Amino acid sequence: KQEVTQIPAALSVPEGENLVLNCSFTDSAIYNLQWFRQDPGKGLTSLLLIQSSQREQTSGRLNASLDKSSGRSTLYIAASQPGDSATYLCAANSGYSTLTFGKGTMLLVSP
Amino acid sequence: DAGVTQSPTHLIKTRGQQVTLRCSPKSGHDTVSWYQQALGQGPQFIFQYYEEEERQRGNFPDRFSGHQFPNYSSELNVNALLLGDSALYLCASSLWEGTYGYTFGSGTRLTVV
């Protein structure tokens, strides 16, 4: 059974800092891994999708890496802004038609 | 291009009642999945529908049932509501098993009183 853990659970940083969010998964046999952003009470917005054959993906100030052998993924956010404040969720797609989510990292970026 | 659309946005029901939530997938997607997200937790997989059949099911009781229509839209039904069913219900659409990722809707907030 796939299990996903996200560290830290919460993070508070001043505007402009670079930061790293961590995601670990127990079963390395994944199809892909997807990072999402969730604003309070809202749905999930997809940020980045990394296929199992890829090592990293970039979109603007976001960069996600994947190391299947160690069961880890990181989301790097450069030059953080107050608008980045949200909960960030990672989800592992191990096939069997399901995504397994971590509990998320709640990020607060202060002006 | 419309993404995933869910209705209603919010819903308040009484314990013991039944509820139906609706989802229209992103254009071009043929698979619909449903997730339950309790406060402070990650989403939990309920079930997935493909070609109008339930393809996979998570650890949820039979009170949770669903349906997929020929136009790929889907419904989630919950019978005999319990207080613990209060949550954000998320619909996600994809192609096949999510090879190209999943797209989520804005969710339906269900409150059982």
Side-chain angles (χ1 to χ4, degrees), chain A:
Chain A
K1 176 188 174 186
Q2 179 74 271
E3 294 183 0
V4 177
T5 303
Q6 290 189 246
I7 294 174
L11 184 61
S12 182
V13 301
E15 181 177 6
E17 275 204 5
N18 302 325
L19 54 100
V20 174
L21 308 182
N22 297 292
C23 171
S24 61
F25 46 95
T26 55
D27 185 353
S28 62
I30 61 171
Y31 285 2
N32 52 52
L33 187 139
Q34 201 164 354
W35 282 92
F36 296 90
R37 168 187 171 135
Q38 185 173 34
D39 293 295
K42 304 297 184 182
L44 307 183
T45 300
S46 181
L47 298 173
L48 289 164
L49 171 71
I50 312 177
Q51 300 294 346
S52 61
S53 59
Q54 298 175 319
R55 294 301 301 269
E56 65 177 56
Q57 280 286 336
T58 299
S59 176
R61 295 183 294 108
L62 305 180
N63 175 276
S65 67
L66 175 65
D67 184 344
K68 278 184 54 179
S69 61
S70 66
R72 294 183 179 181
S73 177
T74 61
L75 179 67
Y76 175 83
I77 302 177
S80 58
Q81 303 172 357
D84 294 331
S85 298
T87 295
Y88 291 79
L89 293 156
C90 72
N93 180 355
S94 304
Y96 307 108
S97 306
T98 69
L99 284 178
T100 304
F101 284 86
K103 292 185 177 181
T105 293
M106 186 182 301
L107 173 65
L108 176 63
V109 182
S110 305

Side-chain angles (χ1 to χ4, degrees), chain B residues 30-100:
Chain B
D30 57 7
T31 302
V32 174
S33 306
W34 288 92
Y35 288 80
Q36 180 195 65
Q37 186 179 26
L39 205 60
Q41 301 295 314
Q44 298 293 314
F45 175 73
I46 303 176
F47 44 55
Q48 184 179 84
Y49 278 84
Y50 173 72
E51 292 189 340
E52 302 180 49
E53 291 192 0
E54 183 181 288
R55 179 161 67 186
Q56 194 69 232
R57 187 178 184 91
N59 188 25
F60 279 81
D62 292 345
R63 298 187 297 108
F64 289 77
S65 63
H67 188 78
Q68 185 180 34
F69 299 94
N71 66 353
Y72 306 119
S73 66
S74 176
E75 289 182 349
L76 164 65
N77 301 292
V78 187
N79 295 322
L81 284 167
L82 304 174
L83 297 180
D85 294 332
S86 296
L88 180 67
Y89 288 84
L90 295 163
C91 172
S93 71
S94 63
L95 278 174
W96 187 230
E97 290 190 323
T99 303
Y100 304 105

